[in-house]
Amino acid sequence: MAAVNQELQNYITSLANNHQRDGLRSILAITMIGNQYIQENEPYKLIKQDRSTEEKEHGATVIAVAVNIVALVSIILDPYMPETAENIKAFLNNPPQLRRLPHLFMQFLPAGHFIQEPKPLITQIDDEVVQKLSKDFGGQTSSEKKPVSPAVIAHLDTLITEKGDKVRTMKASGEASKDEIGAEVAILLDLKKQLAIAQGIDPATLNAKNKKKKKIRMDKLHNLCHWDSNGELRLGVSE
């Protein structure tokens, strides 16, 4: 079980350094080692009545090792899935050896130890349960959202017009500071965002359209300007 010990050391190091994702990888690696060990040795065949005493003993050893791997998993899984870890320990009859983290893989369950009848740790979720959970916790869909009153939209539109006029006046006067203008522009953009949401428009899409319009305007301006022979920018098409 050298591979189990290696992954156990990786797990301990990962948690000591708060690398939780790496710790989870080590848990999964140990479970895979246990599964592979069972699949390769097939103890359920070795313990059949028609097998030799030697084969039955080997089958019993494989089962004992596998159950102790499960015991180890119940310990290292606790920080991630404490309820599942406790269910595993309960199925193993809660031996005291499972209450602290070992430094090496060991025999957690003594010979002759009784365990409970295994039960599924995770319940399968069928379509009916999925639909119920979706209905209870999914929130409103776009078709179920309440329509916004036209009066609210009209009010936002008025506020946007007024705020836009104020920003233009401040820019034209030259008396307002950059910070003052910036604050008013931020309010204006927020009002536009609220209006877009009220109209059922994605604000991100609205911003993308505005950027595209600005680019088109810059392209048009570029077509109306040219650099003269003195290196100065002039309006009008160059001759």
Side-chain angles (χ1 to χ4, degrees):
M1 291 284 103
V4 173
N5 278 326
Q6 181 60 57
E7 291 299 338
L8 178 57
Q9 292 305 311
N10 292 343
Y11 170 87
I12 294 171
T13 301
S14 297
L15 265 63
N17 293 294
N18 200 27
H19 296 166
Q20 298 181 21
R21 186 175 298 178
D22 292 336
L24 184 58
R25 288 195 184 100
S26 295
I27 295 174
L28 295 175
I30 290 174
T31 60
M32 289 176 64
I33 292 170
N35 286 332
Q36 185 177 3
Y37 178 70
I38 293 174
Q39 290 171 9
E40 288 178 353
N41 290 277
E42 298 182 323
Y44 41 85
K45 292 182 179 179
L46 296 174
I47 60 174
K48 288 184 176 180
Q49 293 296 329
D50 59 343
R51 293 304 182 101
S52 66
T53 302
E54 183 180 346
E55 287 177 317
K56 290 178 181 179
E57 289 178 352
H58 178 56
T61 300
V62 173
I63 292 172
V65 171
V67 172
N68 278 281
I69 291 177
V70 172
L72 174 61
V73 170
S74 75
I75 299 173
I76 60 179
L77 189 62
D78 192 83
Y80 296 90
M81 302 173 67
E83 185 175 346
T84 301
E86 284 302 317
N87 288 338
I88 298 174
K89 292 172 184 176
F91 139 69
L92 296 174
N93 271 334
N94 285 305
Q97 296 90 333
L98 304 185
R99 294 302 164 188
R100 58 182 176 180
L101 179 66
H103 291 285
L104 291 172
F105 178 57
M106 56 181 284
Q107 182 179 352
F108 299 98
L109 309 178
H113 180 81
F114 286 93
I115 63 175
Q116 302 291 334
E117 182 179 351
K119 296 179 180 178
L121 293 173
I122 300 175
T123 305
Q124 182 177 354
I125 301 178
D126 55 26
D127 292 339
E128 185 178 347
V129 175
V130 171
Q131 291 176 5
K132 185 178 185 305
L133 292 174
S134 179
K135 183 179 179 181
D136 292 343
F137 305 105
Q140 291 181 327
T141 63
S142 57
S143 60
E144 294 173 338
K145 291 179 180 178
K146 296 180 180 179
V148 178
S149 167
V152 174
I153 295 176
H155 179 62
L156 287 170
D157 202 25
T158 301
L159 291 176
I160 289 170
T161 302
E162 292 175 353
K163 188 61 68 176
D165 291 341
K166 183 177 181 179
V167 170
R168 283 188 288 272
T169 301
M170 292 174 69
K171 288 181 178 179
S173 68
E175 297 176 357
S177 67
K178 257 187 176 182
D179 290 340
E180 290 173 333
I181 295 174
E184 294 297 327
V185 170
I187 296 173
L188 176 61
L189 293 176
D190 186 64
L191 288 170
K192 288 183 176 180
K193 181 180 178 181
Q194 292 181 45
L195 178 61
I197 294 172
Q199 293 174 328
I201 302 171
D202 183 359
T205 305
L206 191 64
N207 291 337
K209 289 180 180 178
N210 289 337
K211 288 180 181 179
K212 187 175 181 181
K213 287 180 181 178
K214 188 180 289 186
K215 184 178 184 301
I216 292 172
R217 286 197 296 268
M218 291 300 294
D219 290 342
K220 287 182 178 179
L221 179 60
H222 177 74
N223 293 333
L224 294 173
C225 302
H226 69 279
W227 295 97
D228 63 15
S229 57
N230 296 322
E232 296 181 355
L233 185 64
R234 301 286 186 184
L235 292 176
V237 181
S238 61
E239 296 179 358

